[in-house]
Amino acid sequence: SETHRAYCSSISLFREFSKKIFLNEIARTELLSFVAYLRTLRKKNGKRRFGERSIHFHLLKTVIFLKASGLPKFLKKNDWPKYSEPPVKFYSPEHVTRLLAAASNAVEWLAVIFLLMTGLRKGEAQHAEFSDVDFAGKVIRVLEKPHHDWHPKTWQCREIPIPDELIAVIKELKNSVTSNFIFRNEQGGMSSRNAIYRIIIRVAERAGLECDADCHTFRRTFGTRWVEKAPIQVVQKLMGHKNVET
């Protein structure tokens, strides 16, 4: 899952930094030095690899792991990296028009409208199948897929209403392929995790929106549209969030 990969990434960075062998050797100074280490890391172009927000969350996941391993809380309030939340980005109607105009084939066009009209996460879209769509009820379901070893959290399983436009596109696609996956690789199997991301990056670059091209921007756009016409608790369920704050 995304959560598991995120924790593995943070713990790998800590292991890369720390020379300690045993957990009981770790103290507050080690965590503060880990923060300083993350600030020294650079990309190939010389820019910092992590901003303060990323460092904060790498530290948070490391602290949670250490706490789960039996260590006490070491850090004080002022030890945590400070950062300002960036403004929430979403696509305006003009941006959507530019994205659709920049799609050069049916696969790219499908990726754009599918993400805009469902608000699915990257992994959810990757595992989406025609059998998840209730064409009569005009909804798509996010369901556990044990046959693909994919298990979303309980609150992430949900039904999402989809408009006639997307229903028609999915139905036409279903009748033209033998695979059950909405997004497929060349062999008809499930696409890779980043296949949809690479598609929207290409489209966004042509549309002049590459700085805002990611699946979260599509999700925020979906959520913003629904907030205008439904209570926040409904939007929370449609987006598969555990609580309203997220």
Side-chain angles (χ1 to χ4, degrees):
S1 67
E2 289 280 0
T3 302
H4 180 260
R5 273 185 288 272
Y7 272 87
C8 286
S9 174
S10 298
I11 301 308
S12 293
L13 284 167
F14 185 71
R15 291 183 63 190
E16 175 185 302
F17 154 76
S18 181
K19 306 305 178 189
K20 305 297 184 185
I21 297 176
F22 301 105
L23 285 174
N24 59 12
E25 296 180 282
I26 298 172
R28 175 171 172 262
T29 53
E30 188 77 2
L31 292 172
L32 296 178
S33 296
F34 177 50
V35 170
Y37 166 75
L38 292 177
R39 287 174 177 149
T40 67
L41 298 180
R42 292 290 185 269
K43 299 178 181 178
K44 290 182 179 180
N45 60 10
K47 294 183 179 180
R48 281 179 58 173
R49 183 175 168 188
F50 301 115
E52 291 300 293
R53 184 178 187 275
S54 295
I55 292 173
H56 178 100
F57 283 99
H58 279 307
L59 178 62
L60 176 62
K61 289 189 279 285
T62 301
V63 167
I64 291 172
F65 168 77
L66 294 174
K67 183 181 178 183
S69 301
L71 296 186
K73 288 184 178 180
F74 295 119
L75 296 179
K76 301 176 182 179
K77 183 177 180 180
N78 290 332
D79 291 337
W80 291 88
K82 307 294 189 299
Y83 67 92
S84 299
E85 285 286 359
V88 174
K89 297 183 297 183
F90 60 91
Y91 291 126
S92 68
E94 178 199 350
H95 292 154
V96 172
T97 300
R98 287 164 59 182
L99 286 166
L100 292 172
S104 64
N105 56 54
V107 173
E108 292 182 348
W109 195 79
L110 172 65
V112 171
I113 66 166
F114 186 87
L115 292 176
L116 284 172
M117 295 179 179
T118 64
L120 294 190
R121 298 175 176 87
K122 183 165 57 176
E124 293 170 347
Q126 176 195 13
H127 288 85
E129 299 177 275
F130 294 114
S131 55
D132 298 330
V133 181
D134 179 347
F135 291 97
K138 299 181 182 179
V139 298
I140 185 168
R141 298 184 176 94
V142 177
L143 303 169
E144 185 176 23
K145 304 287 177 66
H147 51 296
H148 298 307
D149 194 25
W150 188 68
H151 308 276
K153 297 180 179 70
T154 303
W155 59 86
Q156 293 174 345
C157 295
R158 60 199 187 277
E159 284 191 351
I160 303 163
I162 52 179
D164 291 338
E165 179 184 6
L166 184 55
I167 285 286
V169 171
I170 296 175
K171 185 179 290 186
E172 182 179 356
L173 179 63
K174 179 178 184 292
N175 294 333
S176 65
V177 298
T178 56
S179 171
N180 192 36
F181 291 108
I182 294 176
F183 294 97
R184 307 161 308 287
N185 58 28
E186 293 181 356
Q187 291 73 42
M190 181 169 49
S191 64
S192 68
R193 282 194 58 78
N194 289 319
I196 299 173
Y197 176 70
R198 289 194 293 268
I199 291 171
I200 62 174
I201 283 291
R202 290 199 303 268
V203 175
E205 285 177 348
R206 294 192 212 108
L209 301 169
E210 62 268 22
C211 61
D212 297 326
D214 60 58
C215 290
H216 287 295
T217 306
F218 283 86
R219 274 178 58 75
R220 285 190 291 267
T221 304
F222 170 85
T224 300
R225 288 180 168 183
W226 270 97
V227 162
E228 296 172 353
K229 56 185 178 182
I232 190 66
Q233 291 80 6
V234 172
V235 181
Q236 171 196 339
K237 291 180 180 179
L238 291 176
M239 297 192 70
H241 284 165
K242 189 175 183 180
N243 55 62
V244 173
E245 284 72 19
T246 56

